[in-house]
Each structure stands twice: as structure tokens, then as C-alpha cells.
């Protein structure tokens, strides 16, 4: 059962917040949805946004400034929470980059996380079906994008499901999580010590092995304090070259990692998706 938590009139459409009992995560999950006014006339494409570390289902909708253009373009925007927040385990809030708010959009295989931390299956399978129950959508027109940890998630979801996601983009994504501290910490705890299991969630490994059929857009700020140690877009760039995947990697001078950066280029990303979804 899907419960409407709150709704707010926004640019002629409606900004809504929902909760529901997730069968994948085996607990309550929350997500937000901006539904533009055109939904009264026809089914609309859906663009999913995956947020970064510590964020919730509210962060993107509050900070990115995406609703105005989504209303003009006729795109439904959906943003899930970043972890199964109602499921609590010892130490899940001990650090900001693991556990609560840090699901990494993978299906955990290690106890106790495997009980609830199934964010990959939640995002790719369950959430699209739930969205169909709350709005009239084009199920053949789904796109996905995200930021940082969520940029990693968006790339992985699209690369593993190119028939499902017709468009993909990212802001400052963790491009090769199996080679950086954030990813090593998360993958080691969620997936275990066998690194051979990590590659299924590493965008650089995935795109090197198989060409994505449509252009990928990535924006990366040059003043991002996480760029060198955690993000490494140059590795993803080389992997795209090796498989012949079209990549538009834009290095934005002077921009950092936060939502001022995202809001500065959100228009370009929505238009990138609209070109392939509408």
C-alpha cells in the first residue's frame, strides 16, 4: 500500500511525498514525485534521480530547482530515499559514508545488511512499478540520473539495464567504486571481501565490457574536493572509449560537489533526458 505523506502545488503540477511497505527492502521506504500538469492529458515519461550520501527523498526536490523545467517538458521526477532508513542495525549511523543514508544502490549479500539493503532491486524493479500506481506513466520511457553515490547508482542501473533506461546522466559520480575509499568501505561491508563480486556494481568495469547504446552525460566540477580520491571520471572516460560508448564529460571550472553545482546545470540534464524520452 502506498501512502501519500504530503503534497504541494508546484509550477502547475504537484510535488508529492510518499511512503510504502517495500517487499525488496522489507521495511518502509519513502520517495518523492513531482507530477507535472500534463499528466491530466496523457501518460508521461519518468526520470528517476538517485541522491548522494546522507541525502533523503527530499533533498533533490528541495535543492535542485528541477520542477520548473520538468513542468515545461512534461517529465515526472521521482527520487527515492538513499537507504532503508527504518531498518536499524548496530553501527549503521557510526559514519556518514556507510549505513543510514548510504545504501550505494546495490543488493547487499552480507549479514545483517542483506536483510534490507537491496537498493539496486528496489530502484530498478520495485520503484518503477510503485510509480505506475500513483501516476499515468510511459513505462517505455524511463530515464535515470544521480549525484555522487547516486551518480554511481544511475550509471550502474542504466548500464545493466539499457533496454529499460533510455537515458542516463550524472553529476560528479563515483565512477569506479571498487578502486576508491568510499566504494571499498561500502562494497567490503555489503558484498564481502571477494572483489570479483564488486564488478557488477562498478560503472567503469561495466561500460568497458559492453557499449551503452546512447550518449551518457556527466558534469564534474574542477573544484570538487572529492574529485581526485573518490570520483575518478578519467577512468570511466577511458572505459567508454574502449567500448565505443558516447560520453559527454564536461569539466566545469570552479564548481564544487554540492547542490549549487547541480542547480547550475540541472537544465542541461533535464533537456538531455527529454531528447531521448519525449
Amino acid at each position: 500500500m502506498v501512502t501519500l505523506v504530503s503534497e504541494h502545488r508546484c509550477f502547475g503540477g504537484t510535488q508529492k511525498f510518499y511512503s510504502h511497505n517495500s517487499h525488496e527492502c522489507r521495511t518502509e521506504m519513502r520517495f518523492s514525485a513531482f507530477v507535472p500538469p500534463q499528466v491530466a492529458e496523457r501518460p508521461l515519461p519518468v526520470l528517476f534521480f538517485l541522491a548522494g550520501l546522507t541525502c533523503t527523498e527530499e533533498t533533490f526536490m528541495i535543492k535542485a530547482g528541477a520542477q520548473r523545467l520538468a513542468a515545461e517538458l512534461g517529465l515526472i521526477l521521482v527520487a527515492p530515499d538513499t537507504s532503508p532508513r527504518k531498518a536499524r542495525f548496530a553501527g549503521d549511523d557510526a559514519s556518514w559514508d556507510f549505513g543510514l543514508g548510504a545504501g550505494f544502490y546495490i543488493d547487499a549479500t552480507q549479514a545483517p545488511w542483506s536483510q534490507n539493503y537491496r537498493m539496486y532491486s528496489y530502484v530498478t524493479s520495485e520503484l518503477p512499478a510503485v510509480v505506475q500506481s500513483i501516476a499515468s506513466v510511459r513505462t517505455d520511457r524511463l530515464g535515470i540520473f544521480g549525484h555522487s553515490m547516486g551518480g554511481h547508482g544511475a550509471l550502474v542501473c542504466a548500464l545493466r539495464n539499457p533496454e529499460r533506461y533510455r537515458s542516463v546522466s550524472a553529476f560528479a559520480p563515483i565512477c569506479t567504486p571498487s578502486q576508491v575509499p568510499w566504494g571499498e568501505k561500502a562494497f567490503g561491508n555489503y558484498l564481502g571481501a571477494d572483489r570479483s563480486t564488486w564488478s557488477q556494481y562498478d560503472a567503469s568495469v561495466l561500460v568497458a565490457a559492453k557499449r551503452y547504446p546512447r550518449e551518457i552525460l556527466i558534469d564534474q566540477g574542477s573544484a570538487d574536493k572529492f574529485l581526485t580520491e573518490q570520483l575518478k571520471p578519467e577512468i570511466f572516460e577511458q572505459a567508454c572509449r574502449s567500448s565505443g560508448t558516447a560520453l559527454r564529460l564536461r569539466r566545469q571550472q570552479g564548481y564544487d560537489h554540492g547542490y549549487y553545482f547541480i542547480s547550475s546545470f540541472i537544465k542541461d540534464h533535464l533537456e538531455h533526458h527529454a531528447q531521448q524520452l519525449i
Side-chain angles (χ1 to χ4, degrees):
M1 179 178 176
V2 182
T3 300
L4 179 64
V5 176
S6 66
E7 61 180 336
H8 315 273
R9 195 71 173 158
C10 186
F11 295 110
T14 311
Q15 178 63 61
K16 303 184 179 187
F17 296 91
Y18 291 94
S19 67
H20 71 108
N21 292 320
S22 166
H23 65 80
E24 285 290 351
C25 297
R26 305 185 187 115
T27 186
E28 180 188 279
M29 290 295 294
R30 293 187 170 230
F31 69 94
S32 58
F34 172 71
V35 182
Q38 297 93 325
V39 77
E41 305 166 0
R42 62 185 186 278
L44 298 179
V46 183
L47 180 56
F48 295 89
F49 182 85
L50 306 184
L53 291 163
T54 76
C55 294
T56 72
E57 75 282 357
E58 295 182 311
T59 311
F60 173 78
M61 297 301 183
I62 293 171
K63 293 185 175 183
Q67 291 95 332
R68 181 193 295 272
L69 186 58
E72 294 174 4
L73 294 171
L75 290 172
I76 295 173
L77 299 176
V78 174
D81 200 352
T82 52
S83 71
R85 208 167 290 268
K86 292 285 187 177
R88 299 305 306 271
F89 302 106
D92 63 4
D93 59 354
S95 57
W96 66 276
D97 56 357
F98 178 75
L100 285 183
F104 267 81
Y105 305 102
I106 66 178
D107 287 348
T109 59
Q110 302 299 298
W113 313 103
S114 56
Q115 298 175 53
N116 305 97
Y117 278 60
R118 295 182 51 79
M119 291 298 294
Y120 173 78
S121 290
Y122 176 73
V123 167
T124 59
S125 297
E126 184 174 8
L127 186 58
V130 172
V131 171
Q132 290 181 52
S133 73
I134 59 130
S136 180
V137 306
R138 287 283 306 270
T139 57
D140 61 336
R141 291 290 187 275
L142 305 182
I144 193 164
F145 70 146
H147 170 231
S148 193
M149 176 185 73
H152 136 74
L155 292 172
V156 168
C157 290
L159 292 170
R160 289 180 58 173
N161 302 276
E163 74 292 339
R164 177 171 299 173
Y165 299 106
R166 294 178 58 90
S167 59
V168 61
S169 71
F171 295 94
I174 305 171
C175 288
T176 181
S178 61
Q179 298 185 48
V180 301
W182 277 342
E184 289 175 332
K185 181 177 182 178
F187 286 12
N189 282 284
Y190 291 141
L191 301 175
D194 182 0
R195 286 177 173 254
S196 67
T197 66
W198 297 9
S199 60
Q200 62 185 311
Y201 297 112
D202 189 309
S204 294
V205 174
L206 292 170
V207 80
K210 184 178 181 181
R211 175 182 174 272
Y212 184 73
R214 292 167 289 278
E215 183 185 65
I216 298 171
L217 170 63
I218 291 177
D219 275 311
Q220 174 61 63
S222 67
D224 190 325
K225 65 181 181 181
F226 303 116
L227 175 57
T228 301
E229 183 180 26
Q230 303 283 12
L231 306 179
K232 298 187 181 298
E234 68 280 0
I235 295 178
F236 187 77
E237 185 176 36
Q238 181 56 47
C240 285
R241 286 198 194 103
S242 69
S243 65
T245 297
L247 171 66
R248 187 158 42 121
L249 172 57
R250 308 193 306 181
R251 293 173 169 88
Q252 304 292 1
Q253 293 302 307
Y255 285 88
D256 61 21
H257 195 70
Y259 270 83
Y260 296 115
F261 161 59
I262 292 173
S263 62
S264 297
F265 300 103
I266 190 66
K267 180 176 183 291
D268 295 348
H269 283 251
L270 292 189
E271 289 177 343
H272 165 81
H273 289 276
Q275 288 173 4
Q276 299 176 70
L277 296 177
I278 296 175

